Amino acid sequence: MSEPLPFGTITILGPGLLGGSLAMAVRAAMPAAAIRLWARREATLQQALDMGIADAACTDPTEAVRGADLVVLATPIGAFRDLAEQIAPSLAPGAIVTDVGSVKNYVHRTTGAWLHEQGHTFIGSHPMAGSEKQGLEAAYPELFRGASIVLTNDHAAPEHTVDRLRQFWELLGGRCYLMESKHHDRTVARISHMPHVLAALCAYSATRGDVRMHDLQSLAATGFRDTTRVCSGSPSMWTDILWENDCAIREILHTCLDDLTELIRLLEIQDKETLHTWLEQARDNRETIIGGQ
Amino acid sequence: MSEPLPFGTITILGPGLLGGSLAMAVRAAMPAAAIRLWARREATLQQALDMGIADAACTDPTEAVRGADLVVLATPIGAFRDLAEQIAPSLAPGAIVTDVGSVKNYVHRTTGAWLHEQGHTFIGSHPMAGSEKQGLEAAYPELFRGASIVLTNDHAAPEHTVDRLRQFWELLGGRCYLMESKHHDRTVARISHMPHVLAALCAYSATRGDVRMHDLQSLAATGFRDTTRVCSGSPSMWTDILWENDCAIREILHTCLDDLTELIRLLEIQDKETLHTWLEQARDNRETIIGGQ
C-alpha cells in the first residue's frame, strides 16, 4: 500500500445500517485496519463476527475502544452522550472520536463539547447516505461510495487531524465538505429533513376526508410511490432527527406553510400566470440543486 | 386472432407522450387495426409516419376522424372542446370518443356533455401512466402495461359500449376501474395531484431564506431527488391540471395545510409521543396504499 492508513484500529459503536456498512466498507478499502465493534446485544455482535466484518466484538464499550485511534459513534444520537461518558476514560491518547449522526449542532453542544472539555478530540461526520431500511441486515459496503460527507469541527481540532478524518472518508468513496454545525443543520433541514416531512405529510393527508382506501390503492402510481418513499423510514429515528434539529426544521416548515398558503391563494384567486411561474420556479430549483452535483 | 378487435380504426388526436405511446401500443397489440393521427404540426406527423406508428396522418382533424370507430383526445385538456366541435360533423355513426386527460369531471362538464347533446358517445379514460418527460420523443409502447385506467361514464353510455373500451385498454395491458368523474377527481387529487404540489413545494421552499445554493447542491441526496422527482414535469401541463381539478385540489391542500400546522405545533409544544404516532401513521398509510396494489 503506497499511503499509510489514516487509522490502524477503528472502533464502531452500534453496527446498524450505517455502522455495519462502515465496518464492511473499511474491511474492503483498508484490509490492514483492525475493526472493533460494540453493540448492546450479543446476537448483533455474533452476526457481525459471522459476517467477517469485525476483529473484536464486545458488549462493554470501554473495552471496545481500547487501542482505537478512531472511534465512531453510530448509535441513535440520543445515546451519544452516555456512551461518551463511558468510553472517555479508556480513549487512547490522540484518538479521534467522530459520529455518523444526521444532526450536528445538537451533537456538538452535548457530546462534542463534553469530550472537548475532557481533553479529547471530537469532529462530527454526517455521511449523507442511508436508506429507508434499518439494521445490520440492510448494511452494504458501497453505502458511502459517491456520498457527500459533512465534517463539522466546532471545537477547532487542528487541521492535520481533520485531514486524517477526511482521508478516511475519501478512502471509502465519500466527498467531504467542512461546515459549521449550525450551517449544516440549516442546509440538511432543507435538503433532507423537510423532504421527509413533506413525504410523510403526503401519505398522512392522503387518507383524510371522504375517500375510499380501495380507490387510493387502485390508483396509486409512481408519483405517489416516489414522492412518499422516504417516509417508509423508521418513525423512531425520524422523531429523533426532527427533535434534535427542531429549530432549523421549524424555520423551514414555517416557510413551507407560507408557500403552500400562497399556492392555495393563487388557485383561489385564479391567478394562472403566477401559478405557472411558481411551478416553473420549483422545477428550476430542482434542476439547479440536483444538476449541480 | 381468436377475438375480434374492439376497434378497427383508431384516431389519436395529439401524438405527444400519451398519444404517441398509445399509437405504438396499438400497433404492437392490435397489428390489424388502422391508426390515424392528427397533430397541429406537419413535422410531428412526419415523425410519426417515419416511426411507422400511423397509417394516415393529417393536420385536419375532420379528415383524421373519418371512418374511425374510436377517437382518442390526447391533446392538453384545454383543447378538447374546440376539437370536439371540429370533429363532431365527421364522426362515424356509433363511434366512441374518449380521452386520456388526468382530470375527468371538467372534461365531462365541457366536452363530454356537449358531444352527448349532439348524439355522440363520450366515455372518459384516464390512464394512470406518464412520465416527467413529454412529447413523441419520450413515447414508448409499454407505457400502459400494468397501469390503472379509470373509465368515467357520466353520460351513461350502454354497458356493452363501455365494455368495448375496457377491452381496448386491457389489450394494451391496463387494468380498468369504472368510477364517477367527481369521485375520480377527488381520488387523484390525493394520489397524484397533491404529491405533485408537495414535491414542487419541497423544491420551491428549499432555496428560500438564508441558505447557499452551493451547499444545497453539495448535500442533495436521494431523499431530495425522489421526493421532488415529479415536479420536473411540465409547468404548463401541471398548471392546467391544478386548474381543471381545482375544487378537489383545494380541498386536499387545505387538509395538508391543517396537518402541517399540527405537525409544527407538535414540535413547538415538544410532544414527542404524538409526533412519533403521526410519523407512524404516515408510514402505515403509505404501506397500505402502495402494498394494496
Side-chain angles (χ1 to χ4, degrees), chain B residues 29-87:
Chain B
M30 308 167 212
I35 301 172
R36 300 173 67 85
L37 294 184
W38 166 84
R40 216 174 289 277
R41 299 191 313 126
E42 286 275 7
T44 309
L45 293 175
Q46 192 54 53
Q47 194 184 350
L49 288 168
D50 292 347
M51 291 163 77
I53 56 170
D55 300 294
C58 21
T59 54
D60 175 0
T62 60
E63 192 188 326
V65 302
R66 229 178 285 278
D69 43 7
L70 178 67
V71 173
V72 184
L73 307 173
T75 63
I77 288 176
F80 285 2
R81 175 62 190 265
D82 273 358
L83 269 177
E85 294 191 15
Q86 287 181 70
I87 63 173

XYZ file of all heavy atoms in Angstrom, chain B residues 29-87:
433
model
N -50.071 -4.319 -30.119
C -51.069 -5.255 -29.571
C -52.166 -5.590 -30.578
O -52.811 -6.635 -30.462
C -51.694 -4.669 -28.300
N -52.448 -4.690 -31.515
C -53.535 -4.910 -32.478
C -53.026 -4.550 -33.875
O -53.462 -3.563 -34.479
C -54.730 -3.998 -32.126
C -55.180 -4.100 -30.686
S -56.323 -2.742 -30.227
C -55.903 -2.542 -28.490
N -52.104 -5.374 -34.386
C -51.469 -5.005 -35.663
C -52.468 -4.850 -36.818
O -52.162 -4.161 -37.796
C -50.477 -6.156 -35.915
C -50.800 -7.220 -34.932
C -51.524 -6.605 -33.812
N -53.645 -5.458 -36.698
C -54.638 -5.355 -37.784
C -55.394 -4.030 -37.753
O -56.069 -3.672 -38.725
C -55.613 -6.522 -37.715
N -55.318 -3.282 -36.649
C -56.077 -2.029 -36.542
C -55.397 -0.921 -37.347
O -54.161 -0.856 -37.413
C -56.190 -1.612 -35.074
N -56.217 -0.058 -37.966
C -55.682 1.105 -38.675
C -55.548 2.258 -37.686
O -56.443 2.490 -36.861
C -56.604 1.492 -39.817
N -54.409 2.966 -37.753
C -54.158 4.092 -36.838
C -54.102 5.382 -37.645
O -53.315 5.496 -38.592
C -52.831 3.894 -36.075
C -52.881 2.591 -35.264
C -52.555 5.083 -35.163
C -51.560 2.219 -34.627
N -54.925 6.348 -37.269
C -54.923 7.654 -37.935
C -54.528 8.707 -36.895
O -55.000 8.685 -35.765
C -56.318 7.965 -38.502
C -56.785 6.926 -39.533
C -58.235 7.170 -39.959
N -58.419 8.390 -40.713
C -58.243 8.527 -42.024
N -57.883 7.477 -42.743
N -58.434 9.683 -42.635
N -53.659 9.599 -37.298
C -53.170 10.606 -36.344
C -53.483 12.013 -36.828
O -53.450 12.297 -38.023
C -51.648 10.511 -36.173
C -51.052 9.274 -35.526
C -49.539 9.463 -35.389
C -51.669 9.042 -34.146
N -53.785 12.878 -35.848
C -53.851 14.304 -36.143
C -52.879 15.032 -35.224
O -52.772 14.716 -34.026
C -55.260 14.869 -35.910
C -55.264 16.379 -35.893
C -55.331 17.197 -36.979
C -55.160 17.237 -34.745
N -55.275 18.513 -36.587
C -55.173 18.559 -35.207
C -55.041 17.008 -33.371
C -55.087 19.661 -34.367
C -54.948 18.093 -32.521
C -54.978 19.418 -33.012
N -52.162 15.986 -35.802
C -51.352 16.906 -34.988
C -51.406 18.258 -35.658
O -51.699 18.356 -36.854
C -49.912 16.420 -34.866
N -51.136 19.286 -34.875
C -51.158 20.639 -35.422
C -49.980 20.833 -36.389
O -50.094 21.497 -37.391
C -51.070 21.649 -34.266
C -51.853 22.925 -34.428
C -51.802 23.757 -33.156
N -52.584 23.178 -32.055
C -53.902 23.361 -31.919
N -54.583 24.071 -32.786
N -54.540 22.817 -30.895
N -48.845 20.212 -36.049
C -47.623 20.454 -36.815
C -47.321 19.304 -37.774
O -47.321 18.138 -37.377
C -46.445 20.680 -35.874
C -46.639 21.904 -34.947
C -45.357 22.278 -34.214
N -44.713 21.105 -33.637
C -43.456 20.776 -33.855
N -42.686 21.514 -34.626
N -42.953 19.698 -33.279
N -47.005 19.660 -39.013
C -46.616 18.688 -40.049
C -45.438 17.828 -39.576
O -45.391 16.627 -39.803
C -46.171 19.426 -41.329
C -47.275 20.059 -42.146
C -47.923 19.084 -43.124
O -47.585 17.879 -43.064
O -48.768 19.534 -43.913
N -44.453 18.492 -38.929
C -43.203 17.799 -38.559
C -43.482 16.636 -37.601
O -42.871 15.570 -37.701
C -42.230 18.785 -37.913
N -44.417 16.850 -36.678
C -44.775 15.787 -35.738
C -45.367 14.603 -36.494
O -45.042 13.438 -36.218
C -45.808 16.308 -34.716
O -45.327 17.522 -34.161
C -46.065 15.296 -33.620
N -46.253 14.901 -37.454
C -46.884 13.827 -38.207
C -45.857 13.059 -39.034
O -45.894 11.831 -39.127
C -47.978 14.416 -39.115
C -49.168 15.006 -38.349
C -50.138 15.678 -39.320
C -49.892 13.925 -37.539
N -44.919 13.807 -39.636
C -43.883 13.149 -40.431
C -43.058 12.208 -39.564
O -42.756 11.077 -39.950
C -42.985 14.211 -41.087
C -42.074 13.647 -42.160
C -42.849 12.863 -43.232
O -43.799 13.385 -43.816
N -42.473 11.604 -43.460
N -42.762 12.701 -38.350
C -42.004 11.883 -37.385
C -42.761 10.588 -37.075
O -42.175 9.499 -37.054
C -41.814 12.717 -36.107
C -40.779 12.181 -35.148
C -40.739 13.016 -33.864
O -41.343 14.090 -33.782
N -40.037 12.519 -32.858
N -44.067 10.713 -36.854
C -44.896 9.546 -36.533
C -44.927 8.573 -37.714
O -44.826 7.349 -37.531
C -46.311 9.988 -36.161
N -45.040 9.116 -38.926
C -45.037 8.249 -40.115
C -43.693 7.540 -40.248
O -43.623 6.344 -40.537
C -45.341 9.082 -41.371
C -46.797 9.563 -41.517
C -46.918 10.610 -42.623
C -47.745 8.381 -41.789
N -42.612 8.278 -40.000
C -41.272 7.687 -40.075
C -41.097 6.566 -39.047
O -40.363 5.607 -39.282
C -40.193 8.757 -39.831
C -40.137 9.781 -40.959
O -40.753 9.528 -42.022
O -39.504 10.838 -40.779
N -41.758 6.741 -37.902
C -41.662 5.724 -36.850
C -42.557 4.517 -37.163
O -42.528 3.522 -36.431
C -42.081 6.322 -35.495
C -41.104 7.358 -34.931
S -41.870 8.377 -33.615
C -41.824 7.227 -32.231
N -43.360 4.642 -38.183
C -44.223 3.525 -38.569
C -45.405 3.299 -37.647
O -45.933 2.193 -37.545
N -45.830 4.361 -36.948
C -46.918 4.167 -35.982
C -48.227 4.783 -36.471
O -49.167 4.920 -35.691
C -46.565 4.734 -34.590
C -46.198 6.220 -34.678
C -45.434 3.935 -33.966
C -46.078 6.895 -33.317
N -48.310 5.154 -37.752
C -49.564 5.701 -38.281
C -49.779 5.209 -39.699
O -48.823 5.109 -40.481
C -49.525 7.226 -38.255
N -51.041 4.880 -40.010
C -51.397 4.529 -41.389
C -51.766 5.785 -42.164
O -51.633 5.837 -43.374
C -52.569 3.547 -41.381
C -52.186 2.281 -40.638
O -51.308 1.556 -41.128
O -52.722 2.039 -39.531
N -52.284 6.772 -41.446
C -52.620 8.043 -42.067
C -52.335 9.143 -41.060
O -52.432 8.931 -39.853
C -54.090 8.066 -42.471
N -51.958 10.311 -41.561
C -51.616 11.429 -40.679
C -52.062 12.709 -41.348
O -51.725 12.941 -42.511
C -50.116 11.448 -40.429
N -52.827 13.525 -40.637
C -53.288 14.765 -41.265
C -53.349 15.904 -40.258
O -53.483 15.696 -39.062
C -54.652 14.585 -41.931
S -55.629 13.212 -41.332
N -53.258 17.113 -40.801
C -53.347 18.299 -39.945
C -54.778 18.817 -39.883
O -55.030 19.844 -39.251
C -52.407 19.413 -40.461
O -52.717 19.648 -41.832
C -50.951 19.042 -40.299
N -55.696 18.116 -40.519
C -57.113 18.495 -40.455
C -57.855 17.464 -39.598
O -57.968 16.300 -39.984
C -57.678 18.522 -41.887
C -59.181 18.799 -41.889
O -59.770 18.966 -40.800
O -59.756 18.835 -42.993
N -58.363 17.887 -38.443
C -58.971 16.897 -37.541
C -60.218 16.224 -38.138
O -60.459 15.048 -37.878
C -59.329 17.706 -36.291
C -59.287 19.140 -36.689
C -58.356 19.237 -37.847
N -60.991 16.957 -38.941
C -62.205 16.332 -39.502
C -61.825 15.185 -40.425
O -62.482 14.156 -40.458
C -63.051 17.359 -40.298
O -62.268 17.879 -41.372
C -63.480 18.505 -39.403
N -60.732 15.364 -41.138
C -60.275 14.297 -42.028
C -59.723 13.117 -41.211
O -59.930 11.951 -41.548
C -59.183 14.872 -42.940
C -58.813 13.969 -44.106
C -57.593 14.507 -44.846
O -57.440 15.760 -44.915
O -56.792 13.704 -45.330
N -59.029 13.460 -40.115
C -58.386 12.418 -39.305
C -59.398 11.447 -38.700
O -59.125 10.256 -38.561
C -57.550 13.055 -38.193
N -60.581 11.938 -38.329
C -61.535 11.059 -37.621
C -62.429 10.281 -38.581
O -63.198 9.417 -38.148
C -62.439 11.849 -36.635
C -61.596 12.585 -35.613
C -63.383 12.806 -37.348
N -62.355 10.561 -39.873
C -63.247 9.908 -40.831
C -63.070 8.377 -40.801
O -61.966 7.874 -40.890
C -62.995 10.456 -42.238
C -64.277 10.865 -42.953
C -64.005 11.452 -44.320
N -63.469 12.822 -44.294
C -64.242 13.916 -44.163
N -65.543 13.821 -44.038
N -63.686 15.107 -44.158
N -64.171 7.663 -40.602
C -64.142 6.195 -40.600
C -63.676 5.560 -39.298
O -63.685 4.336 -39.174
N -63.279 6.389 -38.321
C -62.769 5.812 -37.062
C -63.916 5.318 -36.186
O -64.954 5.968 -36.103
C -61.966 6.865 -36.304
N -63.733 4.168 -35.545
C -64.749 3.763 -34.558
C -64.290 4.066 -33.132
O -65.065 3.953 -32.190
C -65.215 2.314 -34.745
C -64.089 1.338 -35.037
O -62.911 1.752 -34.975
O -64.397 0.174 -35.329
N -63.032 4.506 -32.991
C -62.578 5.048 -31.700
C -61.759 6.307 -31.972
O -60.836 6.285 -32.800
C -61.708 4.044 -30.931
C -61.166 4.565 -29.592
C -62.297 4.780 -28.578
C -60.126 3.613 -28.986
N -62.115 7.387 -31.277
C -61.372 8.644 -31.390
C -60.843 8.994 -29.998
O -61.619 9.038 -29.038
C -62.266 9.783 -31.912
C -61.526 11.118 -31.871
C -62.747 9.477 -33.325
N -59.539 9.213 -29.908
C -58.924 9.485 -28.602
C -58.385 10.913 -28.567
O -57.482 11.266 -29.340
C -57.768 8.497 -28.317
C -57.199 8.732 -26.914
C -58.232 7.054 -28.474
N -58.925 11.734 -27.679
C -58.424 13.096 -27.490
C -57.175 13.008 -26.613
O -57.261 12.600 -25.448
C -59.477 13.975 -26.807
C -60.873 14.017 -27.452
C -61.855 14.793 -26.563
C -60.805 14.647 -28.840
N -56.025 13.380 -27.156
C -54.772 13.236 -26.401
C -53.975 14.542 -26.378
O -52.787 14.551 -26.090
C -53.941 12.090 -26.983
N -54.642 15.643 -26.673
C -54.027 16.975 -26.556
C -54.147 17.434 -25.107
O -54.757 16.754 -24.294
C -54.806 17.983 -27.419
O -56.143 18.057 -26.891
C -54.854 17.563 -28.871
N -53.615 18.617 -24.753
C -53.968 19.187 -23.446
C -55.493 19.335 -23.336
O -56.176 19.578 -24.342
C -53.276 20.550 -23.469
C -52.097 20.368 -24.379
C -52.585 19.424 -25.446
N -56.003 19.150 -22.133
C -57.453 19.161 -21.897
C -58.112 20.442 -22.409
O -59.231 20.405 -22.926
C -57.717 18.974 -20.381
C -57.405 17.524 -19.981
C -59.151 19.324 -20.013
C -57.527 17.246 -18.497
N -57.418 21.562 -22.283
C -57.982 22.843 -22.703
C -58.365 22.887 -24.177
O -59.185 23.715 -24.586
N -57.793 21.992 -24.992
C -58.098 21.996 -26.426
C -59.242 21.050 -26.787
O -59.705 21.036 -27.924
C -56.832 21.616 -27.210
N -59.722 20.265 -25.826
C -60.720 19.216 -26.127
C -62.000 19.772 -26.754
O -62.506 19.259 -27.740
C -61.112 18.444 -24.866
C -60.091 17.464 -24.370
C -58.851 17.305 -24.990
C -60.365 16.668 -23.248
C -57.911 16.402 -24.510
C -59.438 15.757 -22.773
C -58.214 15.624 -23.393
N -62.566 20.812 -26.120
C -63.879 21.278 -26.538
C -63.870 21.782 -27.978
O -64.744 21.420 -28.782
C -64.361 22.379 -25.576
C -65.665 23.056 -25.961
C -66.845 22.069 -25.993
N -68.007 22.691 -26.590
C -68.990 23.294 -25.909
N -68.958 23.292 -24.582
N -69.992 23.867 -26.522
N -62.838 22.563 -28.327
C -62.712 23.056 -29.702
C -62.575 21.909 -30.698
O -63.212 21.910 -31.750
C -61.463 23.952 -29.842
C -61.789 25.385 -29.483
O -62.964 25.665 -29.167
O -60.852 26.211 -29.506
N -61.716 20.954 -30.335
C -61.518 19.799 -31.215
C -62.827 19.041 -31.396
O -63.174 18.624 -32.508
C -60.471 18.852 -30.621
C -59.026 19.075 -31.031
C -58.125 18.099 -30.286
C -58.837 18.900 -32.545
N -63.565 18.858 -30.306
C -64.842 18.132 -30.363
C -65.784 18.815 -31.343
O -66.438 18.162 -32.169
C -65.465 18.045 -28.969
N -65.835 20.140 -31.271
C -66.740 20.860 -32.179
C -66.298 20.695 -33.632
O -67.131 20.636 -34.537
C -66.813 22.340 -31.783
C -67.470 22.500 -30.414
C -67.828 23.942 -30.078
O -67.836 24.787 -30.985
O -68.091 24.204 -28.875
N -64.988 20.620 -33.840
C -64.497 20.439 -35.212
C -64.793 19.049 -35.759
O -65.161 18.887 -36.912
C -62.991 20.691 -35.272
C -62.617 22.162 -35.143
C -61.105 22.348 -35.245
O -60.513 22.178 -36.320
N -60.485 22.663 -34.145
N -64.622 18.034 -34.917
C -64.740 16.661 -35.444
C -66.173 16.145 -35.461
O -66.483 15.229 -36.232
C -63.856 15.653 -34.657
C -64.299 15.561 -33.186
C -62.384 16.030 -34.762
C -63.599 14.459 -32.384
